[in-house]
């Protein structure tokens, strides 16, 4: 067996020993595990390495039909991420290649990061820090005051594991929690302390809006100009999903026109952004982190373990033991 672990260097684990240990223990010591830092400029070299692989472990490399055509032995694509929008699922299914994202490893971590964003923006933490560090200004009125969080309404788009976890953490801390998700019923929302509403009601009624929806064709650019116009309460907007859920040009306009009080995101539309020229960088009311909301010693170990075990179980025809198989 030959396994290829490959991704953009900034997205790869600093050490791959745990992955190798799990793959060798499950598939045999003669299994070849090749670690290859990917770059778009060396795509042909990547395709050459993929040619002999039985399995690919990645997260952010675009795996389309052309890539799969260069991989005649490929049987499974294991993703050390919960999303799988970078893989052409129809092409993989047609070619008999299993696609296995990590279904759950960082729910609590991402929910905690969302909470940190909410508190930091609500209290003007970055703005005050900038005024103090840069201007040596010690003035509490330099930031526009907001109502107490316990008087605010929080709206959550997407009510899967992470959305539910955020709602549970917010219960008792805010006035009410609204949720919008076409796949969730009234009872499921209520069981987690939330009220199910339609998109426009959530946009118009929320002081804080959190996005944790999966990126799909329906949710791409879900937050565009009309969506920002519908936000009537000058909310804080927190994006914990994918950057492409947000139309960034329209977001910048909403910030410039003060339709938003602040914005926080763990993601940008470009997974390798040009930060020196990005219009969201350098703003006192914008908080950005480098897709790091999952980051903890606990989640890192689970991420490596589950994605590697998925390969082992799939190649050993133990599909019932794969954590999540989406095709």
């Amino acid at each position: 067996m030959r396994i290829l672990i490959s991704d953009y260097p900034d997205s790869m684990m600093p050490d791959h020993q745990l992955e190798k240990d799990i793959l060798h223990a499950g598939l045999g010591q003669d299994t070849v595990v090749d670690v290859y830092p990917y770059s778009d400029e060396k795509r042909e070299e990547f395709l050459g390495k993929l040619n002999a692989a039985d399995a690919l472990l990645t997260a952010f490399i675009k795996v389309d039909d052309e890539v799969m055509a260069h991989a005649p032995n490929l049987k499974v694509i294991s993703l050390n991420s919960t999303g799988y929008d970078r893989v052409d699922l129809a092409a993989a299914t047609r070619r008999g290649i299993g696609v296995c994202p990590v279904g759950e490893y960082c729910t609590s971590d991402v929910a905690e990061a969302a909470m940190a964003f909410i508190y930091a923006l609500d209290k003007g933490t970055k703005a005050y820090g900038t005024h103090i560090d840069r201007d040596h200004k010690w003035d509490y009125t330099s930031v526009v005051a907001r109502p107490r969080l316990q008087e605010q309404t929080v709206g959550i788009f997407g009510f899967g594991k992470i959305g539910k976890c955020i709602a549970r953490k917010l219960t008792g801390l805010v006035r009410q929690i609204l949720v919008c998700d076409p796949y969730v019923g009234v009872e499921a929302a209520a069981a987690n302390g939330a009220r199910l509403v339609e998109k426009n009601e959530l946009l118009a009624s929320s002081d804080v809006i959190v996005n944790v929806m999966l990126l799909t064709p329906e949710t791409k650019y879900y937050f565009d100009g009309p969506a920002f116009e519908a936000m009537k309460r000058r909310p804080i907007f927190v994006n914990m999903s994918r950057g492409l859920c947000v139309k960034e040009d329209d977001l910048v306009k909403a910030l410039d026109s003060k339709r938003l009080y602040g914005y926080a995101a763990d993601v940008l539309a470009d997974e390798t952004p040009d930060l020196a020229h990005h219009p969201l960088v350098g703003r006192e009311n914008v908080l950005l982190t480098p897709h790091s909301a999952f980051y903890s010693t606990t989640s890192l170990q689970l991420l490596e373990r589950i994605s590697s075990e998925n390969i082992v179980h799939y190649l050993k025809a133990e599909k019932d033991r794969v954590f999540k198989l989406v095709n």
Side-chain angles (χ1 to χ4, degrees):
M1 291 288 185
R2 184 176 289 271
I3 316 299
L4 177 62
I5 301 174
S6 185
D7 220 322
Y8 292 94
D10 290 347
S11 301
M12 296 183 78
M13 296 296 177
D15 179 83
H16 296 276
Q17 194 57 52
L18 178 59
E19 293 159 312
K20 291 177 180 179
D21 289 346
I22 292 170
L23 292 167
H24 285 141
L27 299 172
Q29 291 298 320
D30 58 342
T31 298
V32 177
V33 182
D34 190 8
V35 177
Y36 178 75
Y38 174 87
S39 70
D40 293 328
E41 293 76 19
K42 294 183 178 180
R43 192 167 178 83
E44 290 301 319
E45 188 173 304
F46 163 75
L47 293 175
K49 290 186 174 292
L50 188 62
N51 182 263
D54 295 281
L56 170 66
L57 199 166
T58 188
F60 298 111
I61 296 175
K62 185 176 181 180
V63 186
D64 55 19
D65 193 47
E66 178 194 7
V67 170
M68 296 178 212
H70 285 80
N73 298 323
L74 192 63
K75 301 171 183 66
V76 60
I77 301 166
S78 181
L79 299 159
N80 54 5
S81 63
T82 56
Y84 48 93
D85 52 283
R86 302 293 289 173
V87 178
D88 185 333
L89 194 60
T93 303
R94 187 173 64 251
R95 292 178 178 275
I97 300 170
V99 178
C100 307
V102 175
E104 154 68 294
Y105 73 101
C106 63
T107 293
S108 185
D109 302 276
V110 176
E112 288 168 4
M115 297 286 287
F117 276 148
I118 292 169
Y119 278 115
L121 283 174
D122 189 64
K123 286 298 185 183
T125 303
K126 183 180 180 182
Y128 281 133
T130 300
H131 300 166
I132 292 168
D133 292 340
R134 183 191 65 195
D135 306 326
H136 302 159
K137 185 177 183 179
W138 190 261
D139 179 8
Y140 69 86
T141 66
S142 65
V143 169
V144 176
R146 287 169 60 83
R148 290 177 179 169
L149 197 60
Q150 68 188 46
E151 298 172 8
Q152 296 183 41
T153 294
V154 177
I156 303 172
F157 281 98
F159 214 54
K161 292 185 180 72
I162 296 173
K164 290 183 176 71
C165 188
I166 292 171
R168 290 194 296 270
K169 290 179 182 297
L170 285 171
T171 299
L173 299 177
V174 299
R175 186 169 69 85
Q176 67 171 333
I177 303 165
L178 306 179
V179 61
C180 179
D181 189 323
Y183 304 103
V184 169
V186 173
E187 296 80 6
N192 290 276
R195 180 166 65 87
L196 188 67
V197 298
E198 296 296 322
K199 175 181 180 179
N200 285 339
E201 181 178 350
L202 190 152
L203 292 174
S205 304
S206 298
D207 302 286
V208 177
I209 295 172
V210 182
N211 175 39
V212 285
M213 295 185 295
L214 289 174
L215 178 62
T216 67
E218 292 74 29
T219 61
K220 184 176 181 180
Y221 299 144
Y222 190 87
F223 299 97
D224 56 7
F228 292 121
E229 287 293 324
M231 297 178 184
K232 303 300 184 185
R233 297 182 63 81
R234 199 189 174 202
I236 288 168
F237 179 32
V238 176
N239 185 19
M240 306 302 296
S241 177
R242 290 287 196 234
L244 287 174
C245 287
V246 179
K247 199 166 187 179
E248 284 185 353
D249 289 346
D250 291 347
L251 168 64
V252 169
K253 292 175 184 176
L255 287 165
D256 289 344
S257 65
K258 297 189 176 358
R259 183 159 289 280
L260 293 178
Y261 183 85
Y263 179 67
D266 189 45
V267 286
L268 291 171
D270 189 342
E271 291 287 351
T272 55
D274 178 7
L275 296 177
H277 303 97
H278 201 286
L280 292 174
V281 172
R283 294 172 180 261
E284 293 180 356
N285 63 339
V286 172
L287 290 170
L288 301 173
T289 50
H291 215 148
S292 59
F294 75 97
Y295 195 47
S296 69
T297 55
T298 306
S299 66
L300 285 176
Q301 188 176 72
L302 282 172
L303 184 63
E304 292 184 87
R305 178 172 297 282
I306 294 171
S307 59
S308 300
E309 289 176 346
N310 279 344
I311 291 174
V312 171
H313 294 317
Y314 192 94
L315 292 180
K316 292 175 72 172
E318 300 170 346
K319 293 183 181 179
D320 59 317
R321 299 184 66 187
V322 172
F323 195 92
K324 186 175 183 180
L325 180 62
V326 296
N327 66 340

